[in-house]
Amino acid sequence: MNTYLNTLNGKAVGSDKTFESINPATGESIGRVPISSQQQVKDAIAAARAAQPAWAARPDAERKALMMKVAEVINKNSAYLAEWVTREQGKPLGGVGPDQVPGARFEVWGCEVWTQVPASLDLPVELAFEDDTRRDEVHRKPYGVVAAVAPWNWPLLIAIWQIIPSIRAGNTVVIKPSEYTSIGTLELVRLINEVLPAGVVNTVSGPGEVGAWLTSDPGIDKVMFTGSGPTGKKIAEAAAKNLVPATLELGGNDAAIMLPDADPKAMAMGLFWGAFINMGQTCACAKRLYVPESLFEPTVQALKELAEMMPMGDGLQEGMVMGPIQNKMQYDKVVNLVESAKQQGGTIVCGGAPKGGPGYFYPLTLVTGLKDGARLVDEEQFGPVLPIIKYRDIDEAIASANRLDVGLGASVWSTDVEKAKQVASRIQAGTVWINQHGMIHPMVPFGGVKGSGYGVEFGLDGLKAVTQPQVISIKK
Ligand code: NAD
């Protein structure tokens, strides 16, 4: 079985210790991954440190051109990378482009787009103040070395979100992928190193401990983390000790609220994908749906029809729409939350019991009859299960949306956009979508409030977040 290697200063590097990566659709081992030592983490940071001044000093146009070459490399290797995403993460291959089933090919296509867009953005000098006596300009400087730690749900796309703006702004990067989905990311970084100077993007790999060594090392200047709230808090503490800033994209428990004038039939497909993209294993999935009594039955019915028609299986087979849950820990969590929902008065509309092995397959599941306070409503399920909750008046639904200590996304569904906007403005979330959910875009800032973290990614704000301002103040 192949052992996949880290990239350190442009060179392939293994470790004495390795672990197996598992295909969640079959339970089979698909390759071995190095467990980086603390010295290797330090070496990777040193390589990034050494490469950074020359990288930052390159003319902007050159850095942009190299990044466009990175996008070409991703494009050229898209079939190979998509296969790794499916084999390792589980999402089916699916189609390419925004209108297709959002599977592994969509993820790799997203990597290309989220490389091209930051490559084409500029951070011009801003004039803060000018009069007869002085001129004050704000310049944007890279931090230096960025430590990035990624989760397992969109392994390549989230790695790209962390790497690309960082290097566009003149930083260099050391990234640690999730131990559940390392190979695709190690291969992605190996491939883009074909066109980038050595040391600009480096990898380390292994369990959380390796991430802790990386994010707490005094040699780093900025942390980018996407993952769970509890890990986010540990990383925030580690960053605080070194006084370095962090961007924390943490979990959510997004509420979707249908207003009484919504059209369940017309909106069902948008709601469905908002909740079940990537088997619900997406930070900004709709994780609880609030529906007025008058629309309850038709909404449940429309979603049930969609849930029951989606083919689920090994995503390497063409035509699959849903794959397995990515790992045993998450699978057990989903099983446990559905069992607790049954005990807390929930009615299973469809799904509701494991499909049986091999692989971590769990059917798309809709649950009604629960109230706020039930575990399936209050805890982030991060899986293919959606509680649908009845509400009487809109104030009650807004209070429900806001009562938890997370605020990543939310959505409001209505045929009256103005009315929906009024509701949206009362919801505590980093993004409130109207008549869509989770529809991120490379030009639009994305981030959470409350327990969902701080800082934003994407667009100009995302690029600014990997730079620090320097004021040049000139006496006239
Ligand atoms: P996780 O926090 O368990 O792991 C994420 C990464 O952190 C892994 O690479 C892991 O090895 C590493 N890690 C673990 N302990 C660490 C430590 N002490 N120091 C440094 N690194 C450490 O999260 P996960 O289970 O991989 O991902 C699922 C969670 O991520 C969900 O809660 C989901 O909502 C969230 N998520 C958020 C976003 C977002 O943009 N807001 C996107 C995707 C996923």
Side-chain angles (χ1 to χ4, degrees):
M1 192 187 315
N2 251 347
T3 299
Y4 293 83
L5 300 175
N6 277 299
T7 302
L8 199 163
N9 205 22
K11 297 199 179 66
V13 174
S15 296
D16 299 341
K17 293 188 201 155
T18 60
F19 66 95
E20 280 183 8
S21 191
I22 302 295
N23 180 338
T26 61
E28 286 163 9
S29 180
I30 47 177
R32 299 196 73 85
V33 180
I35 301 179
S36 301
S37 66
Q38 189 163 12
Q39 187 55 47
Q40 286 178 319
V41 172
K42 287 199 171 292
D43 292 346
I45 295 169
R49 169 72 57 211
Q52 198 268 331
W55 177 244
R58 282 194 181 230
D60 224 34
E62 243 179 61
R63 254 197 334 259
K64 280 179 154 187
L66 275 174
M67 292 179 60
M68 285 303 190
K69 284 202 175 142
V70 167
E72 280 169 28
V73 169
I74 295 170
N75 179 287
K76 209 172 73 191
N77 293 283
S78 54
Y80 176 74
L81 292 171
E83 236 178 70
W84 267 115
V85 170
T86 298
R87 210 178 280 140
E88 194 175 45
Q89 198 280 333
K91 64 173 70 71
L93 290 169
V96 186
D99 300 328
Q100 298 294 319
V101 172
R105 290 182 182 125
F106 168 88
E107 179 164 355
V108 176
W109 171 82
C111 290
E112 201 183 326
V113 173
W114 257 274
T115 300
Q116 290 162 334
V117 171
S120 66
L121 290 179
D122 289 307
L123 280 175
V125 173
E126 288 168 29
L127 190 60
F129 183 75
E130 184 163 31
D131 67 6
D132 293 345
T133 65
R134 60 189 288 158
R135 176 183 165 88
D136 299 87
E137 299 170 355
V138 183
H139 296 243
R140 291 271 157 194
K141 300 280 188 181
Y143 278 107
V145 177
V146 172
V149 177
W152 46 260
N153 55 343
W154 293 88
L156 297 199
L157 193 53
I158 291 175
I160 285 289
W161 294 348
Q162 297 175 328
I163 293 169
I164 295 297
S166 298
I167 64 172
R168 168 72 191 90
N171 303 283
T172 53
V173 176
V174 180
I175 184 165
K176 189 198 90 66
S178 166
E179 54 273 44
Y180 292 113
T181 52
S182 303
I183 298 175
T185 312
L186 299 194
E187 286 297 272
L188 170 73
V189 173
R190 177 181 68 78
L191 288 164
I192 67 177
N193 262 271
E194 287 174 6
V195 292
L196 289 173
V200 170
V201 183
N202 309 275
T203 58
V204 292
S205 54
E209 186 184 31
V210 178
W213 290 333
L214 175 62
T215 51
S216 63
D217 195 286
I220 55 134
D221 304 300
K222 159 92 191 178
V223 179
M224 297 193 73
F225 173 70
T226 298
S228 65
T231 308
K233 284 185 183 163
K234 288 185 199 159
I235 286 183
E237 273 177 34
K241 280 195 182 130
N242 289 325
L243 261 189
V244 300
T247 299
L248 301 177
E249 300 282 6
L250 309 179
N253 197 341
D254 293 13
I257 302 178
M258 288 179 83
L259 300 190
D261 64 8
D263 180 343
K265 252 204 151 106
M267 294 171 178
M269 192 62 98
L271 277 167
F272 175 84
W273 282 113
F276 290 111
I277 183 171
N278 195 28
M279 287 282 281
Q281 302 168 112
T282 299
C283 47
C285 266
K287 289 172 181 150
R288 36 194 184 123
L289 173 58
Y290 291 90
V291 183
E293 278 177 331
S294 57
L295 298 182
F296 200 76
E297 286 316 319
T299 301
V300 172
Q301 192 51 37
L303 288 174
K304 178 174 186 275
E305 278 167 25
L306 288 173
E308 288 180 340
M309 67 182 247
M310 298 292 170
M312 180 182 288
D314 185 337
L316 288 176
Q317 287 169 41
E318 295 291 350
M320 286 303 151
V321 175
M322 295 289 164
I325 292 176
Q326 202 280 324
N327 58 65
K328 177 81 165 60
M329 177 268 300
Q330 195 60 39
Y331 175 86
D332 288 344
K333 189 168 158 190
V334 166
V335 170
N336 182 278
L337 278 176
V338 174
E339 289 314 309
S340 83
K342 290 175 190 167
Q343 281 157 22
Q344 292 185 307
T347 302
I348 305 296
V349 176
C350 57
K355 273 173 167 293
Y360 308 128
F361 288 99
Y362 197 93
L364 302 185
T365 298
L366 298 172
V367 183
T368 57
L370 294 177
K371 293 200 169 70
D372 286 352
R375 283 188 56 212
L376 180 61
V377 180
D378 283 16
E379 294 176 29
E380 184 190 32
Q381 66 276 47
F382 216 62
V385 186
L386 181 68
I388 310 176
I389 304 139
K390 229 178 246 182
Y391 75 83
R392 286 212 180 78
D393 72 79
I394 188 62
D395 289 343
E396 180 192 320
I398 293 170
S400 291
N402 290 341
R403 60 182 274 281
L404 301 177
D405 182 36
V406 279
L408 188 57
S411 59
V412 182
W413 300 75
S414 170
T415 48
D416 182 339
V417 169
E418 283 311 310
K419 212 185 278 173
K421 275 171 76 176
Q422 282 169 20
V423 174
S425 71
R426 295 173 61 196
I427 296 178
Q428 297 159 2
T431 304
V432 185
W433 287 281
I434 291 176
N435 295 333
Q436 52 184 3
H437 196 113
M439 298 298 281
I440 52 169
H441 188 283
M443 285 300 289
V444 181
F446 175 69
V449 300
K450 303 201 286 188
S452 293
Y454 43 74
V456 293
E457 296 181 291
F458 312 163
L460 267 185
D461 290 302
L463 204 49
K464 282 184 180 173
V466 283
T467 65
Q468 46 196 340
Q470 182 191 42
V471 173
I472 306 276
S473 182
I474 307 151
K475 183 178 184 328
K476 281 191 173 170

